Amino acid sequence: MVHEILPVGVLQCNCSIFGDEQSGDALVVDPGDDLAEIERILARHHLAVKAIVITHAHIDHIGGAHKLHVSTGAPVYMHLDDEKLQDIMGLQASWLGMRMPERAAIDSPLRDGDVVRAAGQNFHVMHTPGHTPGSISLWLPPEKKLVAGDTLFRDSIGRTDLPFGDGEQILRSIHEKYFGLPDETVVVPGHGPLTTLGREKQFNYFLQGM
Ligand SMILES: [Zn+2]
Ligand SMILES: [Zn+2]
């Protein structure tokens, strides 16, 4: 399986490209920006995008979704509880001094327990609200990989002081949804370096006493 992670945009959001060499199908998570670079990686692996998954509707994660949808025809998957963040995209753009991207239409609403089949893999959807109401995480059992969006980082957790954030809810999400996964699970956070769940349980200040 191809799994390329590239930091995109001013906030260096980790965009993941999962690809299946056999079928040439790809799933792209959080194409926030830098579409040319994403397309270069897809071309290098001879991949065609079949699904675009948004972990949450912050501009650094969703900003390039409409463009990628238009250029590939792939459906956009997102939890509808984050539509209210799409409604304030102009405000989000102003925080970063960016131009407002065109709104991505959500083709496939995601719910907790859904399985997105793409790129030769089953991506298990976990609703992990707190950083935003519609934040989701993707769990790949055979790879023991967790794409966490901005819910969990190496040594930190997602901020909850932005509109619709909830500090108690993010801790509940981490405890209820992540703590049942194996310690060796590789966490792909929304920003910064990869980590493992075991490492975060041991050293992450925010997860102590859970
Ligand atoms: Zn975010
Ligand atoms: Zn982010």
Side-chain angles (χ1 to χ4, degrees):
M1 184 190 67
V2 174
H3 182 194
E4 296 258 12
I5 302 166
L6 68 151
V8 296
V10 284
L11 294 181
Q12 296 284 279
C13 159
N14 284 330
C15 170
S16 271
I17 299 171
F18 291 95
D20 176 30
E21 290 104 329
Q22 255 98 60
S23 64
D25 290 349
L27 176 146
V28 177
V29 183
D30 289 350
D33 204 348
D34 298 336
L35 269 290
E37 187 55 34
I38 293 171
E39 309 236 3
R40 243 192 309 279
I41 291 171
L42 291 164
R44 195 194 320 136
H45 293 287
H46 310 288
L47 295 170
V49 182
K50 295 296 159 85
I52 300 164
V53 176
I54 306 303
T55 62
H56 64 291
H58 279 152
I59 190 168
D60 51 323
H61 297 255
I62 197 173
H66 175 74
K67 265 193 196 162
L68 190 61
H69 166 74
V70 168
S71 67
T72 63
V76 177
Y77 294 73
M78 191 185 86
H79 197 291
L80 293 185
D81 286 359
D82 263 15
E83 279 189 320
K84 43 172 132 354
L85 282 161
Q86 286 186 291
D87 296 340
I88 58 163
M89 200 56 71
L91 178 65
Q92 291 198 50
S94 73
W95 294 335
L96 300 176
M98 284 171 68
R99 280 236 315 264
M100 188 165 97
E102 211 170 315
R103 185 176 179 133
I106 307 309
D107 303 293
S108 298
L110 290 176
R111 276 169 301 254
D112 189 59
D114 281 356
V115 178
V116 179
R117 291 183 182 81
Q121 299 280 326
N122 288 333
F123 294 84
H124 294 254
V125 175
M126 298 189 293
H127 184 209
T128 46
H131 175 62
T132 67
S135 281
I136 60 103
S137 306
L138 294 174
W139 163 235
L140 287 96
E143 309 278 333
K144 291 202 174 72
K145 261 185 194 172
L146 176 71
V147 181
D150 285 356
T151 297
L152 180 64
F153 303 114
R154 185 178 166 114
D155 292 324
S156 191
I157 61 172
R159 50 191 292 194
T160 53
D161 57 326
L162 297 168
F164 314 115
D166 186 324
E168 282 175 26
Q169 206 174 36
I170 193 170
L171 293 174
R172 221 175 312 129
S173 288
I174 291 169
H175 188 246
E176 286 175 4
K177 299 288 169 54
Y178 291 177
F179 270 45
L181 305 177
D183 278 355
E184 63 268 34
T185 297
V186 172
V187 180
V188 182
H191 303 265
L194 306 193
T195 183
T196 65
L197 268 184
R199 185 195 178 279
E200 296 317 301
K201 281 184 187 169
Q202 198 176 351
F203 297 116
N204 190 320
Y205 169 81
F206 298 92
L207 272 50
Q208 301 312 304
M210 267 192 183

